[in-house]
Amino acid sequence: MLTQAAIDAFTALTGTAPEGVWVGPGRINLIGEHTDYNDGYVLPFALPQAAYVAASARADGRWRFRSVDLDDTVELGQAELVPGSPGWHSYLAGVVWALQQAGHEVGGADLVLTSDVPLGAGLSSSAAIECATLAALVDLYGLTIDPVDRAKLARVAENAYVGAPTGLLDQAASTLCTADHALFLDCRTLETRQVPLAVTDAGLEILVIDTRTRHSHVDGEYAARRASCEKAAAILGVPALRDVTDLDAALAQLPALEARRVRHIVTEDQRVLDAMDALAADDYAELGRLMTASHASMRDDYEITERSVDLAVETALGAGALGARMTGGGFGGCVLALVHADRVEATAEAVRAAFAEAGLGEPVTFLGRPSAGARRLV
Ligand code: ADP
Ligand code: MG
């Protein structure tokens, strides 16, 4: 459906059919929260929701970007391709710029996008549009770039051109994920591994509950958590918290606040590794237990949850979920619950009822089926 919508909008804009359509998915993190900037481990998977980009090369060295969703079109020439320019189109222009900076020959293009990844919900609508754009430009200009380098280039677009200081998780997931798998990423070595996550084969589903709570103080809290981790690493004399090998000895050296933060990071890294063992053994009860333990650690030690996500987790567990946790940066956003397939509706309904009872807005729920990464569709 969105493929056709992108093609139709492209044809309406340019008067000709696009050379192709490329897609880049949103992503969600199964487990491993705030571990990325501590050189640790994460385990995201790509969502069925994705950005679709219909595109053709242009011979005149100019770029035209259109968002069907925002009903906005922006046209640029080479001289206007400068980092820091505001607006949604910077995520796309940034990809062109990042490719050029890396020495790739990318000429002009018309790119028309539409996406069903909700904006700003923590599902990485930004990486979706970057990675779809990158896949399009790579094919249109016959570039040879290996997948990890593609993810890095999309990250350069977001960091250096848009100016958002994010890690590699979003772009790696949107580029490298495969259907029915999660992606293990070691944020220090950038080693990746495909981890089978065929939950439906086990009669299960991953229910995503978007609480639709977004707090304005998230950026400040994020900076404070990072600062605590850096301070703790300095006290402990390690390059990053990933290098803490004796947790009890580390905790004994730290002030109370830093000790709680370190306990979350170190135990969360271990939970990612344990989750991979659980998945290798098809032990979904253990995966659920690890998810719930991750939530408790974020709530009690990292102190990044709040009322709506805690309520969603408690209600899902009360409705029989094998495990549940907040995912993403914190202070709202989405919750993942691992549920029996025949309990999906009842669990979603229980959460809606609990939110209504608590006077919270209605949450949005959908199935998080592990999907394929950025690729050409047409
Ligand atoms: P998230 O990645 O968590 O959704 P971000 O703030 O990183 O949130 O990225 C959201 C931004 O990405 C939007 O404000 C917009 O600039 C851009 N964006 C995402 N999807 C679209 C779209 N369909 N059309 C235009 N811009 C989009
Ligand atoms: Mg983003």
Side-chain angles (χ1 to χ4, degrees):
M1 266 238 318
L2 288 187
T3 307
Q4 194 57 45
I7 292 172
D8 292 346
F10 186 95
T11 309
L13 180 72
T14 66
T16 55
E19 283 180 48
V21 178
W22 291 262
V23 70
R27 63 93 191 98
I28 204 157
N29 195 23
L30 181 63
I31 197 161
E33 224 62 74
H34 287 260
T35 45
D36 57 346
Y37 54 83
N38 289 295
D39 276 3
Y41 314 120
V42 293
L43 196 62
F45 63 89
L47 291 169
Q49 291 91 333
Y52 295 71
V53 171
S56 291
R58 278 170 72 131
D60 64 357
R62 294 181 66 76
W63 292 274
R64 191 158 39 161
F65 307 108
R66 174 161 180 77
S67 167
V68 174
D69 311 313
L70 302 184
D71 188 18
D72 192 29
T73 305
V74 178
E75 186 166 342
L76 302 177
Q78 184 67 47
E80 294 145 291
L81 207 59
V82 277
S85 31
W88 66 269
H89 73 277
S90 284
Y91 294 90
L92 280 60
V95 169
V96 176
W97 180 85
L99 285 165
Q100 290 185 344
Q101 290 292 306
H104 297 291
E105 302 265 338
V106 216
D110 284 320
L111 298 126
V112 174
L113 84 89
T114 183
S115 172
D116 61 357
V117 185
L119 276 63
L123 303 176
S124 212
S125 68
S126 59
I129 62 177
E130 290 156 4
C131 294
T133 299
L134 192 88
L137 292 170
V138 162
D139 284 352
L140 289 174
Y141 281 97
L143 309 176
T144 307
I145 306 175
D146 81 49
V148 174
D149 286 334
R150 291 185 195 203
K152 287 187 193 165
L153 285 167
R155 180 193 179 179
V156 168
E158 184 140 352
N159 292 170
Y161 195 94
V162 176
T166 55
L168 189 65
L169 188 156
D170 298 353
Q171 293 83 7
S174 186
T175 302
L176 302 170
C177 280
T178 55
D180 298 325
H181 289 78
L183 178 80
F184 171 78
L185 172 66
D186 178 330
C187 297
R188 171 173 284 168
T189 64
L190 303 190
E191 179 211 346
T192 61
R193 219 177 305 161
Q194 300 290 338
V195 182
L197 180 63
V199 290
T200 50
D201 292 354
L204 300 170
E205 294 282 3
I206 297 169
L207 177 67
V208 182
I209 303 157
D210 181 358
T211 65
R212 302 218 284 177
T213 43
R214 326 249 178 271
H215 289 281
S216 50
H217 56 265
V218 174
D219 288 353
E221 295 284 355
Y222 179 83
R225 295 304 178 283
R226 279 191 87 133
S228 291
C229 290
E230 279 160 25
K231 178 179 168 190
I235 294 172
L236 297 171
V238 290
L241 294 182
R242 185 257 185 74
D243 301 302
V244 173
T245 47
D246 184 340
L247 179 59
D248 288 336
L251 297 181
Q253 292 177 61
L254 293 167
L257 178 87
E258 282 72 23
R260 288 201 302 281
R261 305 298 188 247
V262 168
R263 189 163 53 202
H264 167 72
I265 297 300
V266 173
T267 59
E268 185 76 353
D269 269 336
Q270 187 60 47
R271 278 187 290 271
V272 175
L273 301 177
D274 291 347
M276 292 209 295
D277 290 343
L279 285 170
D282 284 330
D283 187 347
Y284 289 98
E286 174 66 2
L287 176 65
R289 198 193 64 72
L290 291 163
M291 289 168 69
T292 305
S294 168
H295 188 79
S297 179
M298 290 189 284
R299 182 189 61 214
D300 301 336
D301 280 343
Y302 222 57
E303 298 176 279
I304 53 170
T305 71
E306 51 74 78
R307 179 168 164 250
S308 70
V309 292
D310 288 340
L311 181 63
V313 166
E314 282 156 26
T315 308
L317 292 173
L322 281 70
R325 63 182 290 274
M326 181 187 73
T327 180
F331 306 99
C334 292
V335 163
L336 295 177
L338 184 63
V339 299
H340 294 287
D342 59 6
R343 293 289 299 162
V344 166
E345 256 326 299
T347 307
E349 187 46 45
V351 174
R352 279 194 290 273
F355 272 48
E357 169 103 352
L360 295 165
E362 190 171 333
V364 174
T365 60
F366 60 90
L367 294 182
R369 292 248 173 97
S371 302
R375 65 204 181 278
R376 186 174 195 152
L377 289 181
V378 175

